[in-house]
Amino acid sequence: MSYKLFIPGPIAVSEKTLRAMAQPMIGHRSPDFVALYQSIQPTLQKLFYTRDPVYLSTSSAWGVMEGSLRNVVQKKVLNCMNGAFSDKWHDVAQRCGKAAGALKFDWGQPVDPEAVRRELSTGDYDAITFIHNETSTGTMSDIIALMAVVREFPDVISIVDTVSSFSVLPIKKDELGIDILLTGSQKALALPPGLAIFSVSERARQRATRATDRGYYFDLLEFQKNHENGMTPSTPVIPLIYALKSKLEDIEAEGIAARYTRHVRLNHTVRDWGFAKGFKLFPDPAFGSISLNCFANTRQVDLSALNKVLKSKHGLVIDGGYGKLKGQTFRISNMGDETDATMAELLLALDRSLLELNV
Ligand SMILES: *Cc1c(COP(=O)(O)O)cnc(C)c1O
């Protein structure tokens, strides 16, 4: 059974990427691995807009999301919550035994910088988490405005999730003063799942030195120590690193600016299609994501029936709503390698499937 995913993660992986993974294994302490690791640093640093090292974690994004808390939160963390992933981050902080404040917004609303300022002004916090692009609701917060507020509080270490927005648009880590910027392999980068990629500021590492319970697997200082030798703390998922190298070559070949433009264009193509069909965006339209569209199911389409037709007749799959939004929203990804042609193919198949359902 072969079909193509247009859900917002994991997303479709190209044949080229799959082939890149199928290379012979090398020892993770060998000069060959060091060469591989070091060869991808320059492009990674370019995409992170950083001079800090970029680490590779053999885990999904959650590993680094949890690990970051364990490394830097000593007083209290402020969790900005506006969707399924950011809500869960608060739960994870509590499970790690951290004092945590919940700054809640309705799903579909962005994180409000003024509310962040009010909360951080209490002086209670030494860290903040937020998600740039809440994939569950297709909501993209204003990262520039948020970081301008966070920078007013020099004791607060920022941990920012860009799992579904990294490489979709410029996110300038150093310029914005982001301490820990993280992403995962299976969303915007169009790689298979299993690798998290993150960059950490010097001051976040300084903070980590004072944490006595940072554990081992996600210890930022272990990542740094090994990075200095072109390696990772434990045996990494080498096939995914081959895939990452191949993907970075693709990105360089397309041109980073062209990649950003493509994502905006494809996103609007899908949005316009949805509007023409009589659907509305679920999030506040001023904060609609540019890596996916989350539509409100304003026409009460039977989404599981729609996906059944789409999959069986056209070999394509979209998402029928995340968590509590199941059935009420649907999401279409335009991340990764999608082109005008592949999006047009999906929209045509959707048209035909809707017709078949008489909607
Ligand atoms: C998918 C996703 C995650 C979780 O990633 P895992 O790979 O399952 O750990 C976290 N944050 C955002 C914004 C996501 O879209």
Side-chain angles (χ1 to χ4, degrees):
M1 177 75 212
S2 145
Y3 49 86
K4 180 174 174 182
L5 294 179
F6 280 91
I7 64 173
I11 68 163
V13 175
S14 72
E15 286 295 325
K16 176 175 181 279
T17 297
L18 291 174
R19 276 198 308 275
M21 292 177 70
Q23 296 180 64
M25 280 310 105
I26 50 178
H28 67 295
R29 302 295 180 219
S30 71
D32 289 334
F33 182 81
V34 173
L36 171 65
Y37 184 97
Q38 291 177 341
S39 72
I40 59 179
Q41 276 294 314
T43 306
L44 286 174
Q45 285 178 315
K46 195 153 93 179
L47 287 171
F48 275 87
Y49 295 83
T50 191
R51 283 146 78 163
D52 291 321
V54 180
Y55 307 138
L56 305 178
S57 169
T58 294
S59 67
S60 77
W62 272 115
V64 172
M65 292 163 79
E66 172 172 333
S68 299
L69 296 169
R70 295 173 57 189
N71 275 265
V72 307
V73 181
Q74 278 144 33
K75 214 157 76 176
K76 189 174 182 184
V77 60
L78 179 64
N79 297 309
C80 304
M81 302 159 67
N82 65 332
F85 293 104
S86 46
D87 287 5
K88 182 166 157 182
W89 218 345
H90 185 59
D91 177 39
V92 170
Q94 290 173 321
R95 292 190 200 200
C96 290
K98 299 297 180 186
L103 186 58
K104 293 184 184 172
F105 305 93
D106 288 343
W107 282 27
Q109 290 301 315
V111 177
D112 173 19
E114 288 312 314
V116 170
R117 180 183 283 117
R118 269 198 307 278
E119 202 51 40
L120 292 182
S121 299
T122 60
D124 291 347
Y125 298 98
D126 65 353
I128 183 170
T129 70
F130 69 87
I131 290 183
H132 174 221
N133 190 56
E134 238 309 342
T135 321
S136 60
T137 62
T139 306
M140 196 171 256
S141 290
D142 183 346
I143 194 169
I144 294 172
L146 284 170
M147 285 310 303
V149 168
V150 175
R151 287 197 305 274
E152 295 169 17
F153 303 90
D155 294 338
V156 174
I157 298 284
S158 50
I159 312 169
V160 181
D161 167 324
T162 59
V163 171
S164 59
S165 53
F166 181 78
S167 84
V168 170
L169 72 173
I171 300 165
K172 301 189 173 176
K173 175 175 166 290
D174 289 359
E175 191 180 308
L176 296 178
I178 299 169
D179 290 296
I180 303 181
L181 184 63
L182 69 101
T183 189
S185 50
Q186 80 275 25
K187 307 254 172 104
L189 284 170
L191 302 172
L195 183 70
I197 307 161
F198 65 117
S199 180
V200 177
S201 70
E202 166 75 31
R203 60 187 217 118
R205 278 188 277 125
Q206 283 301 327
R207 171 73 65 80
T209 60
R210 291 193 265 124
T212 52
D213 57 352
R214 9 178 239 280
Y216 166 70
Y217 198 74
F218 295 107
D219 180 355
L220 297 182
L221 306 182
E222 284 289 342
F223 275 100
Q224 175 60 22
K225 196 174 82 192
N226 281 277
H227 170 85
E228 287 166 14
N229 297 317
M231 294 180 205
T232 53
S234 44
T235 318
V237 63
I238 293 168
L240 278 177
I241 301 176
Y242 286 141
L244 176 61
K245 183 177 169 72
S246 162
K247 177 56 59 187
L248 295 175
E249 288 164 1
D250 297 346
I251 293 174
E252 291 277 21
E254 179 182 15
I256 297 175
R259 180 179 176 87
Y260 297 151
T261 321
R262 172 168 60 84
H263 282 117
V264 172
R265 186 176 72 247
L266 300 183
N267 185 260
H268 282 111
T269 303
V270 177
R271 198 171 295 184
D272 292 345
W273 169 87
F275 291 161
K277 293 280 157 201
F279 296 106
K280 290 197 169 68
L281 269 195
F282 175 78
D284 179 339
F287 296 91
S289 167
I290 61 172
S291 57
L292 69 141
N293 281 283
C294 179
F295 292 104
N297 186 11
T298 35
R299 294 180 57 194
Q300 328 297 338
V301 175
D302 180 341
L303 294 174
S304 67
L306 175 66
N307 243 338
K308 241 177 227 150
V309 176
L310 193 63
K311 187 172 170 186
S312 61
K313 297 263 167 79
H314 305 279
L316 306 172
V317 176
I318 63 166
D319 167 84
Y322 192 103
K324 69 183 185 190
L325 296 177
K326 193 173 163 69
Q328 297 169 42
T329 61
F330 60 99
R331 299 178 302 161
I332 299 173
S333 165
N334 59 272
M335 300 175 210
D337 304 329
E338 300 310 335
T339 63
D340 296 278
T342 63
M343 294 316 298
E345 188 193 342
L346 170 70
L347 299 180
L348 183 63
L350 275 169
D351 282 342
R352 293 191 171 144
S353 305
L354 285 169
L355 264 181
E356 187 161 326
L357 295 175
N358 292 316
V359 283

